[in-house]
């Protein structure tokens, strides 16, 4: 289930992509009417804001099976980099939630007025990198949504900033809010044997430190800066909540030891049993 998707298979996937999706993503990349947050709010990483969002829309549809009628929840929505392309694709509704209040305020004041079915919520969870003064501990956080509400849950580079107890809690909450058969799309760092070889050689970016245990940290003094997880452990914790990989992991090139069309690994989980 967790084998690398070889380059020839990647080529097949690209050929099988719906040309209508390719057209839409190209239009999103060039659409200067889609807003871009001001530079002081770019706490989500660098790169072309619209192009990255369009690329992930491809991933959501092609790898995750996202459909226009799906109800979507994004955990860690930031300043709407994924939400804005989704406004051009979804016919249903979207909820975005984040621990950074400034990002939620920008999305709520900029995106929601034009797209009322796109709603944004602040959850004041403590995080050493993004919200050190948060009132809620991550290991006790509860998402403010009803059980079995969503068809599709998105976490792009969220687990990469969470320690084990927080990750465990989010896994339980994702399982709770997903409908049976619903899917969760994640980008993250999964440390299998190949990735660990890259870490040991010093070719990984971020420069993780291999150590005993299930977490690998890039900077132990700032542990939330970048976290990689032992793959077997993390998939096992999700499986314990009824979330199992629905397809092979799409390997990223972060470890420097393999080819990949994305920087981080891409994982799609499906809710197969009630937790």
């Amino acid at each position: 289930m967790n084998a690398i998707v070889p380059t020839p298979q990647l080529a097949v996937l690209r050929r099988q992509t719906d040309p209508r999706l390719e057209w839409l993503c190209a239009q999103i990349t060039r659409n200067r009417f889609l807003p871009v947050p001001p530079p002081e709010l770019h706490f989500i990483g660098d790169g072309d804001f619209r192009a990255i969002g369009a690329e992930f829309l491809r991933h959501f549809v092609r790898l995750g099976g996202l459909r226009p009628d799906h109800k979507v929840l994004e955990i860690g929505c930031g300043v709407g980099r994924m939400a804005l392309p989704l406004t051009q694709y979804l016919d249903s509704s979207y909820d975005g939630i984040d621990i950074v209040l400034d990002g939620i305020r920008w999305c709520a004041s900029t995106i929601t007025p034009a797209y009322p079915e796109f709603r944004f919520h602040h959850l004041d969870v403590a995080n050493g990198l993004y919200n050190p003064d948060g009132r809620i501990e991550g290991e006790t956080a509860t998402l403010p949504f009803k059980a079995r509400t969503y068809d599709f849950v998105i976490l792009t580079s969220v687990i990469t900033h969470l320690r084990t107890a927080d990750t465990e809690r989010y896994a339980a909450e994702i399982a709770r809010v997903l409908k049976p058969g619903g899917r969760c799309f994640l980008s993250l760092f999964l440390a299998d044997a190949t990735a660990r070889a890259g870490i040991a050689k010093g070719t990984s970016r971020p420069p993780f430190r291999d150590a005993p245990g299930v977490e690998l940290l890039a900077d132990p003094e700032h542990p939330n800066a970048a976290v990689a997880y032992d793959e077997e452990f993390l998939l096992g914790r999700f499986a314990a909540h009824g979330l199992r990989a629905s397809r092979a992991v799409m390997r990223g090139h972060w470890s420097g030891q393999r080819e990949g069309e994305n920087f981080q690994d891409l994982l799609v989980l499906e809710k197969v049993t009630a937790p």
Side-chain angles (χ1 to χ4, degrees), residues 90-109:
L90 290 179
D91 296 326
S92 186
S93 63
Y94 164 102
D95 286 290
I97 193 164
D98 203 279
I99 66 176
V100 180
L101 181 57
D102 286 346
I104 291 298
R105 285 174 171 164
W106 186 86
C107 290
S109 64

Side-chain angles (χ1 to χ4, degrees), residues 174-271:
I174 292 165
R176 181 181 66 82
V177 302
L178 266 178
K179 297 176 183 178
R183 291 187 173 183
C184 177
F185 180 103
L186 308 96
S187 68
L188 69 174
F189 300 118
L190 290 173
D192 65 349
T194 301
R196 285 184 182 273
I199 292 168
K201 292 179 180 179
T203 61
S204 73
R205 296 292 181 271
F208 290 107
R209 304 181 185 186
D210 204 352
V214 297
E215 297 178 352
L216 290 79
L217 305 178
D219 183 355
E221 294 186 4
H222 302 91
N224 293 110
V227 184
Y229 276 96
D230 177 82
E231 181 171 315
E232 183 177 356
F233 166 81
L234 192 66
L235 294 183
R237 296 319 304 149
F238 279 119
H241 294 283
L243 299 168
R244 299 184 183 276
S246 66
R247 58 169 302 129
V249 176
M250 182 71 80
R251 304 293 182 179
H253 56 77
W254 62 273
S255 71
Q257 292 296 291
R258 49 166 59 104
E259 295 181 3
E261 67 171 17
N262 196 63
F263 172 57
Q264 295 182 358
D265 302 314
L266 304 180
L267 172 65
V268 180
L269 302 170
E270 184 171 341
K271 182 176 177 179

Side-chain angles (χ1 to χ4, degrees), residues 3-242:
I4 300 171
V5 179
T7 299
Q9 292 185 25
L10 289 178
V12 171
L13 281 172
R14 294 190 183 101
R15 289 197 298 271
Q16 292 177 344
T17 296
D18 188 335
R20 294 170 298 179
L21 176 63
E22 290 303 311
W23 178 88
L24 176 60
C25 290
Q27 295 302 309
I28 289 169
T29 300
R30 295 193 294 264
N31 187 349
R32 300 306 172 187
F33 292 100
L34 285 178
V36 172
E40 62 268 21
L41 287 182
H42 280 215
F43 57 84
I44 55 173
D46 53 12
D48 187 303
F49 185 85
R50 295 188 184 95
I52 292 172
E55 180 62 26
F56 270 87
L57 177 58
R58 287 188 185 92
H59 294 325
F60 299 153
V61 176
R62 191 179 70 192
L63 303 179
L66 177 66
R67 300 199 312 259
D69 63 333
H70 279 166
K71 293 189 67 173
V72 173
L73 169 64
E74 183 178 5
I75 300 172
C77 63
V79 285
R81 184 162 61 177
M82 305 302 156
L84 280 162
L86 288 168
T87 64
Q88 308 302 297
Y89 179 80
L90 290 179
D91 296 326
S92 186
S93 63
Y94 164 102
D95 286 290
I97 193 164
D98 203 279
I99 66 176
V100 180
L101 181 57
D102 286 346
I104 291 298
R105 285 174 171 164
W106 186 86
C107 290
S109 64
T110 306
I111 300 174
T112 303
Y115 303 96
E117 295 303 313
F118 278 65
R119 302 172 292 260
F120 297 90
H121 315 264
H122 180 237
L123 189 62
D124 195 19
V125 172
N127 180 276
L129 182 65
Y130 288 111
N131 194 29
D133 298 323
R135 298 178 296 104
I136 304 169
E137 292 299 322
E139 60 192 80
T140 64
T142 299
L143 297 174
F145 308 111
K146 294 180 180 179
R148 301 187 177 193
T149 297
Y150 297 99
D151 302 288
F152 201 84
V153 175
I154 296 167
L155 295 90
T156 56
S157 199
V158 173
I159 302 297
T160 56
H161 303 296
L162 300 181
R163 306 299 299 275
T164 300
D166 294 5
T167 297
E168 177 79 33
R169 180 61 179 171
Y170 276 96
E173 283 293 281
I174 292 165
R176 181 181 66 82
V177 302
L178 266 178
K179 297 176 183 178
R183 291 187 173 183
C184 177
F185 180 103
L186 308 96
S187 68
L188 69 174
F189 300 118
L190 290 173
D192 65 349
T194 301
R196 285 184 182 273
I199 292 168
K201 292 179 180 179
T203 61
S204 73
R205 296 292 181 271
F208 290 107
R209 304 181 185 186
D210 204 352
V214 297
E215 297 178 352
L216 290 79
L217 305 178
D219 183 355
E221 294 186 4
H222 302 91
N224 293 110
V227 184
Y229 276 96
D230 177 82
E231 181 171 315
E232 183 177 356
F233 166 81
L234 192 66
L235 294 183
R237 296 319 304 149
F238 279 119
H241 294 283

